[in-house]
Amino acid sequence: MAKNLLIVESPAKAKTIEKYLGKDFTVRASYGHVRDLPKDDNAVDIEHGFQPRYEVLPDKQKVIKELKDLITKHETVWLATDEDREGEAISWHLAQVLELNLTQTRRIVFNEITQTAIRHAVEKPRLIDQNLVNAQQARRILDRIVGFKLSPILWKKIKTGLSAGRVQSVAVRLIVEREREIMAFASSSSYQVKASFLAGNSRFLAELTRRPDTDKAARAFLESCRGATYTVSRLETKPATKSPAAPFTTSTLQQEASRKLSFSVAQTMRVAQSLYEAGHITYMRTDGVNLSQQAINQAKEVIEKNYGPTYSKPRQFKTKTTNAQEAHEAIRPTDFSVTMPPGLERNEQRLYELIWKRTLASQMADAQLERTVADILASTNKAIFRAEGEVIKFEGFLKLYLESTDEEGDDDENNSMLPPMQQGQEVKLREMIAHERYSRPQPRYTEASLVKKLEELGIGRPSTYAPTISTIQNREYVIKESREGTPRQLHVLTFTGENIAESLKTEQAGAEKNKLFPTDLGVVVTDFLVKFFPEILDYQFTAKVEEQFDMIAEGRQEWQSMLKGFFDDFDPTVKRTQETAERASGERELGAEPSTGRKVIARLGRFGPMIQIGSTEGEEKPRYARLRAGQRLETITLPEALELFKLPRTIGEFEEQAIKVSVGRFGPYVQLGKDFFVSLEKEDDPFSIDLDRAVELIVKKRETEAQKVILKLSDEVQVLKGRWGPYLKYKTENVKLPKDIAPETLTLEDCQRLYEESLTKPKKSFPKGKKK
C-alpha cells in the first residue's frame, strides 16, 4: 500500500496526476464540494458571528466513508484541489469532515497538470490558507443571506418561486437597462456616399467625409458632382505597428470562444475544464495575463523553429484588472511544442487550437504596416472623398492569429491596398453610390459581451461569470435567442457621371443572433429591487463587495466584521420592504375595450405576462389572455392586446368533432373534441392556422402516440415507451416499471397490482402526463 493519499476534486484530474506520482501515491477524487450550507433558514447563525452550519452533501456520504477508510491505510494526506479560493475551501471542508490535523495535512497547488508541475508542488507543500477559505466563506454566506432574505419578499410581492442574488440581479439589471435604451432609441437615416475611382487602371474606393441627411440632400450632392474632375489633394503614407493581444484570462477566453467558435460561456468552461484535467492547458479560472519565464522561453523556441528569429519577441503582459485574484498565470498550453494533443474531441481541438495560437502570438513580433490616406477633391463642390489603405510590410504575429471584436457596423469593405498615386494627380470617377443608412442603438449583450461588461465594472470573478449567466437564464429573467427583425427599405442612388438611377434594397432591421433579452418577469423583478434595494443593485456597491472579498483573501480584513457591516445596513431595508412595499406586477393600463368600455391592462400574472379586461371587483368576471412570443408588457398596444381575445377560435370539424385553437399555460395548441390536445409547432400561428394544418398536427400526434404504445389493456390502462424507459399509465397516473419486468408480458391484473404498490411507496420524481 502507498504511503501517501492525495485528494483532488475530479476523477479525470486524479487519473492524470496518478500516472505522474507513481506507486508511492494513491490519488482519489472528492467529486467537488463535500459539504455546503443546508437549504433552510438555519444555515447561518447571524447572531453569533455569522457562523455557518455546514452539512455533508447527501450524495457525498459514500465518498467521505471511502476516503476515511483510505486515510487509516496511509501515513500522509495531501490535498491538491484547485488553486483558487473555491479550491482552497474544498480542501478545508475535506480536512474538517475527514478530521485531519491541519498542521500535518499537506496542501499543494499547481496551475498545470504536468509531471514537472506536480513534482515541484510535492516538493513545496504548505498549510491550508485560512484567508482564502474565509474569502470564499464570506462570499458564500453573504450570497446566502441576500438570497434567503430577498427571495421571500419576491414571492410575496411578485410571484411564488422567484429568487434574487447579489451578482445575478445586477447582471439582469444591465440587460434590462440596455433593452430600455434600445426601445427609447430614435433611429435616423442619412446617406453614406462612396465613390469608385480609377488611378491608371487600378480601382479604389473612397468615402465622402460627410453624410447628407435626406434623400433630397443626397440627390442634390450627386447633381453637384455632374461634370466634376477629381484630384488627389492630399496623400499621406506613414508606418504603423500592430501589437498582439495578451494571453487569455477566463473572461477573454469566454469572449473569444464566443466570437470565433460560437461557444456559450458555460460550454467554454466545460471544454476548458476537460483540457485542464487532461494536462493540456493551465488552470482556466484566472484574471492574470502573465506567463511563467519557462513558458516564455519555450514559446520563443517554438516560434523561432517554426517561423524564424525575426518573428520572436518575448514579452510579459501586465493585468489591467486592479483587483485580480492572487498571482495566477494566464491560460496557456502546458507544452507549446504540441500543436494538437492526440485523442481530443472536436470542440476540445477547436478550443485548444484557439488557446495555442493566442498564447504563441502574444510572444511574437509586432506586425509592421504602412497606412495610406488619400483625399480626393471634387472640382465642382470642393467635397472631399477619403480613401484609406493598409499594406502589411511584415506579418509578425498576424501570421498566426488576430483577435476578433464585438463591433457591429455596416458591412463595409476592409481597408485594402491603394494603387500608386501622387499628390495633384487626376483620377477618374467610375461610379458614385449614395446608400441610405440608419443609425443604430447600442447592441444587445451577448453572453460574452456581458462577461466583458461585468469584468469592466469589477462585478464577479473568473469563477462566477459562467454560473451567473446560466442562473439568470434558468430563472427565466433573461432569454437568449435570435430574432429575424422586420424588413426595412433603403434608398440607393447611383451616379455614373451622367444620370442618377434610383433603386431599393431591403435590410432586416433589428435582426439579432444569440442575444440576451430581458423577460417581462426579469423587468418586473429588476424594477422592484432597484426601487426597494437600490444599494444591492448598485454597480459600484457590488464591485466594492468584491474588493472586500479580495482584502479578506489577502488577510487585510476580518470576514465576520465585513459581513456585519453589510448586514447592519441590509436587514432594516428588508424589514421595511416587507411591511410597506405593495405588490408589483408591472401593471400598465392600455385603454378601454370599445364594445364594453371595460379597462384593459397588461400585467404579470401567475403564469406569466397577460392582458386583463375588466376588474375583479365588478359583478362581471374579468377576461384574460396570455401575451404572444415577442410581445412585452412595456410595449404592447391596445389593438395588439384586443387581438389576443380572438382566441379560442373554432376553425372547423374533423371526425364530426369541433377543432378549436387557443393558447394555454404551455403555449398555443389545437383541441379536438373535449380531451385531445396538440401543441402548435414553432412556425404555426394560432391566429392564422387553418383546418388542413390543424388536422395534419392531430394525425401526426396520433401516429407518434401509437408508436409509444407497448401494450393496451383497456382505454384506461396502457404500457407506454417513455423518455426514461417503459412505464404504466393507469387512468391518470404514471407508474415506473421495475427493471426486471418485461413490459409486453404484463396482464391487467399485473398492472392493477403495480399501481396499488406504487401508492404505498414514497413519490419519486417521474413526469406526469400533461394534456396538450
Side-chain angles (χ1 to χ4, degrees):
M1 178 62 70
K3 294 181 179 180
N4 302 282
L5 173 64
L6 186 139
I7 304 174
V8 297
E9 297 101 324
S10 77
K13 187 175 174 182
K15 184 178 179 181
T16 306
I17 291 173
E18 194 162 35
K19 67 183 180 183
Y20 295 137
L21 290 178
K23 61 181 181 180
D24 287 340
F25 280 82
T26 300
V27 185
R28 290 291 183 270
S30 69
Y31 296 84
H33 276 280
V34 293
R35 65 176 188 170
D36 196 5
L37 299 172
K39 296 179 179 181
D40 58 38
D41 292 336
N42 299 316
V44 180
D45 188 349
I46 294 172
E47 295 180 0
H48 296 88
F50 298 90
Q51 285 299 320
R53 298 184 174 116
Y54 293 113
E55 290 181 355
V56 174
L57 298 169
D59 61 338
K60 296 301 169 62
Q61 298 282 2
K62 184 179 178 182
V63 174
I64 293 300
K65 183 179 183 301
E66 290 173 352
L67 290 175
K68 283 185 174 181
D69 290 342
L70 285 169
I71 288 170
T72 63
K73 301 170 185 176
H74 294 77
E75 295 177 9
T76 307
V77 178
W78 303 68
L79 299 174
T81 51
D82 289 342
E83 62 174 343
D84 57 8
R85 297 172 193 172
E86 205 70 26
E88 202 73 19
I90 292 175
S91 279
W92 180 75
H93 283 294
L94 280 167
Q96 297 291 315
V97 173
L98 299 175
E99 299 176 357
L100 301 177
N101 186 328
L102 292 178
T103 61
Q104 295 177 4
T105 301
R106 301 183 184 187
R107 169 82 170 115
I108 60 171
V109 294
F110 37 83
N111 77 322
E112 61 181 74
I113 305 175
T114 60
Q115 186 164 6
T116 301
I118 300 300
R119 291 201 173 278
H120 181 73
V122 169
E123 290 169 4
K124 295 185 177 181
R126 61 168 172 81
L127 300 178
I128 290 174
D129 187 330
Q130 196 61 43
N131 290 329
L132 296 182
V133 174
N134 289 340
Q136 190 274 345
Q137 281 198 109
R139 174 189 291 278
R140 186 76 186 91
I141 293 170
L142 188 146
D143 288 348
R144 171 55 66 90
I145 290 172
V146 170
F148 265 67
K149 290 289 185 180
L150 290 185
S151 296
I153 295 177
L154 297 180
W155 285 39
K156 182 179 179 182
K157 305 297 183 180
I158 301 177
K159 182 185 172 186
T160 303
L162 300 182
S163 74
R166 183 181 54 85
V167 176
Q168 75 175 51
S169 298
V170 172
V172 177
R173 181 184 180 183
L174 282 169
I175 295 166
V176 169
E177 290 183 345
R178 175 61 55 87
E179 190 69 20
R180 283 178 169 156
E181 287 173 19
I182 292 169
M183 292 296 105
F185 183 80
S187 184
S188 60
S189 69
S190 61
Y191 282 76
Q192 179 187 40
V193 182
K194 284 189 172 184
S196 173
F197 295 106
L198 284 176
N201 293 321
S202 301
R203 173 181 173 271
F204 68 95
L205 288 175
E207 184 176 339
L208 184 66
T209 54
R210 62 181 179 85
R211 288 194 174 191
D213 55 6
T214 64
D215 181 272
K216 183 179 179 181
R219 287 177 181 275
F221 174 76
L222 295 182
E223 288 286 356
S224 72
C225 291
R226 200 180 291 275
T229 58
Y230 301 91
T231 308
V232 180
S233 61
R234 181 175 74 99
L235 188 66
E236 183 180 279
T237 300
K238 56 184 179 181
T241 60
K242 188 188 288 283
S243 298
F248 282 129
T249 62
T250 302
S251 166
T252 55
L253 177 64
Q254 290 167 343
Q255 293 168 49
E256 195 73 339
S258 173
R259 300 178 192 122
K260 280 186 159 61
L261 308 179
S262 298
F263 282 9
S264 68
V265 167
Q267 183 182 13
T268 298
M269 296 311 291
R270 282 197 303 272
V271 177
Q273 178 100 24
S274 68
L275 288 173
Y276 166 69
E277 292 179 346
H280 300 312
I281 64 170
T282 53
Y283 191 54
M284 64 286 158
R285 295 188 183 92
T286 175
D287 39 22
V289 293
N290 59 297
L291 297 175
S292 68
Q293 192 57 50
Q294 181 184 358
I296 292 173
N297 293 342
Q298 193 191 29
K300 181 175 184 292
E301 289 178 14
V302 173
I303 292 166
E304 291 184 352
K305 179 183 177 182
N306 293 347
Y307 305 103
T310 56
Y311 280 86
S312 175
K313 185 181 178 181
R315 67 185 92 200
Q316 191 64 273
F317 292 84
K318 291 185 179 179
T319 181
K320 295 179 182 178
T321 309
T322 56
N323 47 12
Q325 284 188 24
E326 292 82 60
H328 293 167
E329 197 177 351
I331 302 168
R332 61 166 175 82
T334 55
D335 186 349
F336 287 98
S337 67
V338 179
T339 309
M340 182 61 65
L344 297 185
E345 295 179 355
R346 174 64 179 146
N347 283 340
E348 291 174 335
Q349 290 177 351
R350 297 172 71 201
L351 192 65
Y352 180 86
E353 181 182 37
L354 188 70
I355 295 167
W356 186 86
K357 285 184 173 180
R358 170 76 165 233
T359 316
L360 210 62
S362 77
Q363 300 303 303
M364 293 176 75
D366 294 341
Q368 302 299 322
L369 314 172
E370 184 178 85
R371 289 187 178 140
T372 302
V373 179
D375 284 353
I376 312 300
L377 177 68
S379 62
T380 55
N381 52 24
K382 306 305 178 187
I384 298 291
F385 291 84
R386 183 157 293 156
E388 297 183 358
E390 188 173 275
V391 178
I392 298 175
K393 292 293 188 180
F394 173 66
E395 287 178 299
F397 76 94
L398 292 177
K399 192 174 186 72
L400 188 63
Y401 182 86
L402 178 63
E403 183 179 33
S404 301
T405 69
D406 291 315
E407 297 287 320
E408 294 185 1
D410 300 326
D411 295 329
D412 295 336
E413 294 185 26
N414 294 327
N415 289 348
S416 57
M417 186 174 176
L418 294 179
M421 288 183 282
Q422 294 181 349
Q423 191 162 331
Q425 176 182 343
E426 186 173 316
V427 294
K428 184 180 179 181
L429 175 70
R430 290 181 71 247
E431 184 179 66
M432 191 180 297
I433 298 176
H435 199 302
E436 188 177 19
R437 303 286 189 188
Y438 280 84
S439 57
R440 298 177 180 178
Q442 285 282 329
R444 290 180 174 89
Y445 289 107
T446 61
E447 287 189 355
S449 63
L450 180 60
V451 167
K452 183 179 181 181
K453 185 65 175 180
L454 290 170
E455 185 180 44
E456 287 173 356
L457 294 172
I459 297 168
R461 287 296 181 267
S463 61
T464 65
Y465 298 138
T468 296
I469 287 174
S470 296
T471 298
I472 63 177
Q473 293 178 69
N474 293 338
R475 299 291 186 189
E476 297 183 352
Y477 294 150
V478 170
I479 184 171
K480 181 174 75 171
E481 64 182 12
S482 299
R483 296 185 180 176
E484 293 181 357
T486 54
R488 177 167 63 189
Q489 289 192 326
L490 303 173
H491 289 83
V492 181
L493 305 173
T494 304
F495 174 63
T496 56
E498 295 293 332
N499 301 314
I500 298 174
E502 182 177 356
S503 60
L504 292 174
K505 286 189 176 181
T506 302
E507 69 173 5
Q508 291 299 115
E512 299 282 21
K513 183 178 180 181
N514 291 330
K515 295 294 182 69
L516 298 175
F517 296 83
T519 62
D520 285 314
L521 178 62
V523 171
V524 171
V525 170
T526 297
D527 288 345
F528 181 86
L529 293 175
V530 168
K531 181 178 180 180
F532 294 102
F533 297 92
E535 191 172 52
I536 295 293
L537 271 286
D538 181 77
Y539 302 132
Q540 291 183 340
F541 170 78
T542 308
K544 182 184 175 184
V545 170
E546 297 290 352
E547 291 173 4
Q548 290 178 306
F549 292 149
D550 293 340
M551 291 173 66
I552 294 169
E554 294 161 8
R556 296 189 290 121
Q557 182 164 351
E558 202 276 326
W559 69 277
Q560 288 161 312
S561 64
M562 177 264 176
L563 290 174
K564 186 177 187 303
F566 168 82
F567 187 79
D568 287 350
D569 292 332
F570 177 63
D571 193 49
T573 307
V574 170
K575 292 175 179 175
R576 185 168 58 251
T577 304
Q578 286 174 325
E579 294 169 1
T580 62
E582 296 180 352
R583 286 189 62 85
S585 64
E587 185 173 310
R588 179 170 154 257
E589 187 173 338
L590 305 180
E593 184 182 28
S595 60
T596 65
R598 302 177 82 194
K599 187 189 298 183
V600 180
I601 60 173
R603 68 177 181 87
L604 192 68
R606 181 182 174 190
F607 300 120
M610 67 178 190
I611 302 298
Q612 176 180 322
I613 296 180
S615 169
T616 55
E617 296 175 0
E619 291 184 6
E620 189 177 350
K621 289 184 178 181
R623 288 147 51 214
Y624 303 97
R626 291 173 58 84
L627 267 62
R628 300 176 65 184
Q631 293 181 327
R632 298 184 60 225
L633 291 177
E634 290 190 337
T635 57
I636 191 170
T637 63
L638 178 62
E640 290 170 339
L642 294 174
E643 182 78 11
L644 299 175
F645 288 87
K646 292 181 178 179
L647 296 179
R649 65 189 185 94
T650 301
I651 60 174
E653 287 191 356
F654 178 58
E655 297 175 344
E656 299 182 352
Q657 295 185 87
I659 295 181
K660 294 181 180 179
V661 183
S662 191
V663 176
R665 181 181 176 185
F666 301 103
Y669 63 90
V670 166
Q671 179 181 349
L672 175 65
K674 293 183 177 180
D675 54 10
F676 191 88
F677 300 84
V678 189
S679 293
L680 265 60
E681 295 182 357
K682 190 175 182 181
E683 65 270 18
D684 296 317
D685 184 343
F687 292 90
S688 61
I689 187 172
D690 59 20
L691 179 62
D692 289 343
R693 175 59 177 161
V695 170
E696 181 185 341
L697 291 172
I698 291 167
V699 172
K700 184 178 177 180
K701 182 176 181 182
R702 282 178 175 174
E703 290 173 350
T704 302
E705 290 189 343
Q707 293 172 3
K708 287 173 55 180
V709 177
I710 299 173
L711 201 61
K712 184 173 182 180
L713 300 171
S714 73
D715 288 341
E716 293 187 327
V717 181
Q718 298 180 80
V719 181
L720 305 173
K721 294 177 186 175
R723 184 178 176 185
W724 291 277
Y727 68 97
L728 167 65
K729 184 172 185 182
Y730 194 92
K731 296 182 178 179
T732 60
E733 296 296 318
N734 292 334
V735 179
K736 190 171 183 179
L737 297 179
K739 291 181 179 179
D740 58 351
I741 286 182
E744 63 277 2
T745 65
L746 291 173
T747 64
L748 189 60
E749 291 73 19
D750 292 332
C751 294
Q752 172 75 29
R753 176 177 50 79
L754 288 168
Y755 169 67
E756 291 174 354
E757 287 176 357
S758 73
L759 299 177
T760 63
K761 295 178 181 177
K763 286 287 185 182
K764 293 185 178 180
S765 56
F766 186 72
K768 192 172 182 179
K770 294 174 182 175
K771 288 184 179 180
K772 280 302 260 142

